[in-house]
Amino acid sequence: MLQGKRVLIGISGGIAAYKICEVVSNLAKAGAEVRVILTQSAQAFVTPLTFATLSRHPAYTDQDFWQSVHGRPLHIELGEWAEVLLLAPLTANTLAKLVYGLADNLMTSTVLASTCPVLLAPAMNTDMWEQQAVQRNWQQLQADSRYHTVGPGAGILACDRVGAGRMAEPEEILPHLLSLLHTRGQRDLAGRQILISAGGTREHLDPVRFIGNPSTGKMGLALAQAALHRGAAVTLVHAPLIGVGANGCSLLKGVRSLPVISAEEMRQALLECLPNADWIVMSAAVADVKPAEYHAEKLPKRSLPTTLPLASVPDIAAEIGTLKQPHQRLIGFAAQTGDIVTPALDKLRRKKLDAIAANPVDQPDSGFGTDTNQAVLLDAHGRQVPVPQCSKLEMAHRLFDFVQTLPSG
């Protein structure tokens, strides 16, 4: 997703500038071409040499304003070069300049000389952030479709204040950049309600023992994130999320999150949300069976059954397939080994799905618990689109691209 992509980063004067070192480093390591502009005040926090080293390219300052590149002004060259522009930290001063179209330094001149999507990551003291003038500027800038936002969050600030104004973390900023590079800033899912299931359900024998599966929920989180970045209203019904850490929590910002444990809890939550959904994406690994009897207290080891009677679990996807309306789209996932296409097609037809992603979980770095995935995307009209191994966020975008092309009606 990042190989050869052109990312321009503008850094204003704020202590949060140190966080952008990690962003620049990760982008460069992933193969992106990165250019960095620092305002004069930004250099009081992080030096141009730091960003030049991390980006493998000289960093620019106002001293370079009139530098010529191939006979053209630098801000024109950089503005036309960039595929996406990140402004982080975005200070109250730079925010005001953007609102009024000021171009009094290299960074703001480059913003005006560019047409690519711009991601804004504000950072400032809570009292500054909550000023009416700052909030007015913030709302006005968001009304411009070119600008996209991440954060700010709340927490302890460098001034020891606890409150809003904390810049988004690198693990929040990087995925948003990836989405903008894929969509080119288009909010093509705006107005859609997307309902997503995620994670692996648990069917308990007693309070501490259960039948489960290896799903971590990472694919569902990536789907929610991609849909949100594309402008959709997202509801995520998720079983326990495993190993996603703080990043998983950040992915849920802006998403209506409904945590569940068992397949029946997931079923009830999904059916409750179904009438308002346009697309339903079933990425959860839902149990097929459950213990026939539940024990309210932990069973002593000596009392554990040597054979475990099982009961079936309702097929949620199949039930939704019978209930969905003509305008709704139902998309499933099929975690398979060996031949992945034949059983996925069978699942698509039996459950009345509109599309399905067949995942080879027996391949390295694919399927449960990994950060990458691969699939064959299938629809009810016989199309098959292979997606080679990629990040789960890219997989989510590729799936949404596929669903966008499904015939209507």
Side-chain angles (χ1 to χ4, degrees):
M1 239 178 146
L2 280 169
Q3 188 66 41
K5 297 296 184 180
R6 302 185 301 276
V7 182
L8 179 60
I9 299 178
I11 301 172
S12 299
I15 185 61
Y18 79 91
K19 293 183 181 180
I20 305 305
C21 294
E22 182 178 345
V23 174
V24 172
S25 178
N26 287 341
L27 287 170
K29 288 177 181 177
E33 295 182 35
V34 186
R35 303 291 183 267
V36 178
I37 300 173
L38 294 92
T39 65
Q40 183 174 350
S41 57
Q43 297 173 64
F45 296 94
V46 186
T47 67
L49 178 59
T50 298
F51 287 108
T53 304
L54 294 174
S55 67
R56 285 71 162 173
H57 192 277
Y60 300 107
T61 70
D62 285 345
Q63 291 182 342
D64 304 306
F65 201 132
W66 300 113
Q67 176 181 323
S68 174
V69 180
H70 305 125
R72 308 177 73 218
L74 178 60
H75 64 288
I76 303 297
E77 188 73 13
L78 287 174
E80 294 180 357
W81 172 87
E83 293 181 78
V84 66
L85 209 168
L86 167 67
L87 300 182
L90 176 71
T91 60
N93 185 51
T94 299
L95 170 61
K97 290 180 180 183
L98 295 177
V99 168
Y100 291 101
L102 300 181
D104 63 347
N105 59 26
L106 177 59
M107 188 172 76
T108 52
S109 295
T110 303
V111 172
L112 292 185
S114 65
T115 58
C116 65
V118 182
L119 180 60
L120 307 172
M124 63 193 77
N125 165 269
T126 302
D127 289 330
M128 296 175 67
W129 173 249
E130 292 178 350
Q131 290 291 328
Q132 288 187 11
V134 172
Q135 287 301 305
R136 183 173 59 248
N137 287 341
W138 182 239
Q139 295 303 320
Q140 185 171 334
L141 205 59
Q142 288 185 90
D144 187 330
S145 62
R146 188 184 172 206
Y147 292 99
H148 303 257
T149 63
V150 55
I156 186 167
L157 308 180
C159 58
D160 293 328
R161 176 73 182 270
V162 177
R166 182 181 177 88
M167 194 180 79
E169 301 299 323
E171 57 264 28
E172 298 175 68
I173 294 172
L174 284 164
H176 213 134
L177 286 174
L178 292 173
S179 290
L180 290 175
L181 285 166
H182 183 92
T183 64
R184 300 178 185 236
Q186 297 300 308
R187 296 179 175 91
D188 56 354
L189 297 185
R192 292 195 185 276
Q193 298 275 345
I194 298 186
L195 176 60
I196 300 169
S197 71
T201 60
R202 297 177 177 182
E203 306 303 324
H204 279 266
L205 170 65
D206 63 21
V208 299
R209 301 182 181 94
F210 60 86
I211 297 175
N213 58 69
S215 177
T216 60
K218 288 182 178 181
M219 189 68 240
L221 285 171
L223 287 161
Q225 190 175 44
L228 192 68
H229 291 167
R230 294 171 81 144
V234 183
T235 298
L236 180 68
V237 178
H238 65 88
L241 304 175
I242 309 299
V244 296
N247 187 38
C249 296
S250 70
L251 298 186
L252 296 178
K253 292 178 181 176
V255 173
R256 182 190 177 202
S257 173
L258 301 176
V260 299
I261 301 295
S262 68
E264 180 56 31
E265 290 176 355
M266 180 167 283
R267 172 182 174 272
Q268 291 178 11
L270 288 169
L271 292 180
E272 181 180 337
C273 298
L274 180 61
N276 296 321
D278 296 304
W279 294 358
I280 307 96
V281 187
M282 302 290 293
S283 70
V286 181
D288 298 305
V289 294
K290 64 180 181 180
E293 182 180 1
Y294 173 72
H295 301 269
E297 296 184 355
K298 179 185 176 182
L299 293 172
K301 186 175 182 179
R302 63 179 179 277
S303 299
L304 290 173
T306 56
T307 59
L308 185 63
L310 300 174
S312 61
V313 171
D315 191 324
I316 304 174
E319 185 174 1
I320 293 177
T322 64
L323 296 174
K324 70 183 177 74
Q325 300 301 304
H327 74 279
Q328 294 178 311
R329 294 289 173 265
L330 178 59
I331 302 99
F333 275 73
Q336 301 292 156
T337 60
D339 173 16
I340 64 172
V341 171
T342 302
L345 283 172
D346 177 65
K347 182 176 180 179
L348 181 146
R349 292 165 183 147
R350 282 188 296 103
K351 302 189 180 188
K352 299 180 181 179
L353 307 179
D354 296 288
I356 194 167
N359 295 122
V361 295
D362 55 348
Q363 297 299 311
D365 299 318
S366 299
F368 298 126
T370 63
D371 293 323
T372 56
N373 211 346
Q374 57 182 300
V376 177
L377 307 181
L378 311 155
D379 70 11
H381 302 274
R383 286 190 305 160
Q384 296 187 18
V385 176
V387 180
Q389 191 171 90
C390 59
S391 71
K392 287 188 172 178
L393 182 61
E394 181 174 359
M395 176 67 68
H397 280 297
R398 297 283 290 272
L399 178 61
F400 288 142
D401 291 344
F402 185 76
V403 176
Q404 290 269 53
T405 64
L406 291 175
S408 60

